[in-house]
Amino acid sequence: MKRTGISANRKSEPAGPAQPDIDRLLGAPPLFKGEDRKAYHALQDQVRNLVKPVDLIEQFWIRDVVDLIWEIGRLRRLKAKLMSASAHKGLHEILKPITGYDADDLVEGWAAGDRTVVKKVNGLLAKAQIDTEAIMAQTLLVEIDPIERIERMIAGAESRLSAVLREIDRRRDQVAARLRHAVAAIEDAEFQEVSDRVNGRTS
């Protein structure tokens, strides 16, 4: 994933006055049942400490960043879990030509963790010189459509994350530019005042 950096223009500045509770405005974090709420809030604290939001707009962006990072991690975990949960399908496709008969009973026993069946399946696979990675390769082929959809969802979340980070950079650059112009205007005014005094043009 191509990442967009966060401008360091305000690195040394304090986080600013307390802002409204974003969770109360946007609702509770979008966590699935069983997901670690503490881990989510730890991520939120890390991102907030890195970005140091200075107003409500940046608080909203922080929530977006945290939710998108969490979504990307979740989708990657779910993809791996889908592969593991569907491994029996890949095994079934591998065993059919090896055994020469319907492999449903073998696959069912293997998936259930029946030691006798697992041992028999392992023997068949070893005899055919097929390893666990081959099972997962066949599983990927079986589940390629949902896997590709998950990959597109991950890519979409990564794209949205990059867009939010670019917006934070752009906004801070614009603020920094306005500050530079303001400072320059003040300095010009002070220089003009000194110049007027030197030349006897006092008001």
Side-chain angles (χ1 to χ4, degrees):
M1 180 180 79
K2 184 178 179 181
R3 297 185 181 275
T4 302
I6 296 175
S7 174
N9 288 337
R10 301 188 181 185
K11 182 177 180 181
S12 61
E13 293 185 6
Q19 301 294 333
D21 185 348
I22 295 301
D23 285 350
R24 292 186 63 182
L25 293 173
L26 300 182
L31 301 178
F32 288 175
K33 184 177 180 179
E35 290 187 324
D36 191 338
R37 184 173 297 272
K38 289 184 178 179
Y40 176 92
H41 286 297
L43 172 63
Q44 191 174 48
D45 290 341
Q46 289 178 341
V47 174
R48 184 178 290 116
N49 290 335
L50 174 63
V51 179
K52 293 182 173 58
V54 297
D55 56 24
L56 184 60
I57 293 175
E58 292 190 2
Q59 286 276 21
F60 274 101
W61 282 339
I62 292 303
R63 175 66 182 266
D64 282 344
V65 168
V66 173
D67 286 353
L68 287 168
I69 291 175
W70 191 265
E71 180 181 347
I72 291 166
R74 172 196 288 149
L75 288 170
R76 288 174 176 170
R77 292 192 303 271
L78 292 180
K79 182 177 69 172
K81 290 182 182 297
L82 173 62
M83 289 289 293
S84 296
S86 302
H88 65 285
K89 298 179 182 179
L91 178 64
H92 189 274
E93 294 301 312
I94 288 176
L95 287 180
K96 284 192 298 185
I98 293 177
T99 60
Y101 57 84
D102 190 353
D104 287 352
D105 290 341
L106 284 176
V107 171
E108 184 177 342
W110 179 86
D114 185 310
R115 292 184 179 181
T116 301
V117 177
V118 170
K119 184 176 180 179
K120 182 176 181 179
V121 169
N122 288 342
L124 290 170
L125 295 177
K127 187 176 181 180
Q129 297 183 333
I130 296 175
D131 59 13
T132 303
E133 193 171 61
I135 297 176
M136 300 314 294
Q138 186 64 49
T139 303
L140 176 62
L141 182 61
V142 171
E143 298 289 0
I144 190 64
D145 287 340
I147 290 294
E148 285 184 340
R149 288 198 294 271
I150 293 174
E151 287 287 354
R152 288 195 293 271
M153 293 171 69
I154 292 173
E158 289 175 341
S159 178
R160 296 197 304 275
L161 176 59
S162 294
V164 173
L165 296 179
R166 284 196 300 271
E167 285 301 315
I168 295 175
D169 270 347
R170 184 178 298 114
R171 185 170 188 266
R172 290 189 168 185
D173 286 343
Q174 290 173 350
V175 170
R178 289 198 297 270
L179 288 173
R180 285 194 295 270
H181 287 313
V183 169
I186 292 171
E187 290 177 341
D188 287 346
E190 290 178 345
F191 176 80
Q192 185 62 49
E193 181 180 354
V194 172
S195 177
D196 289 346
R197 287 179 180 176
V198 169
N199 294 309
R201 293 194 299 270
T202 58
S203 57

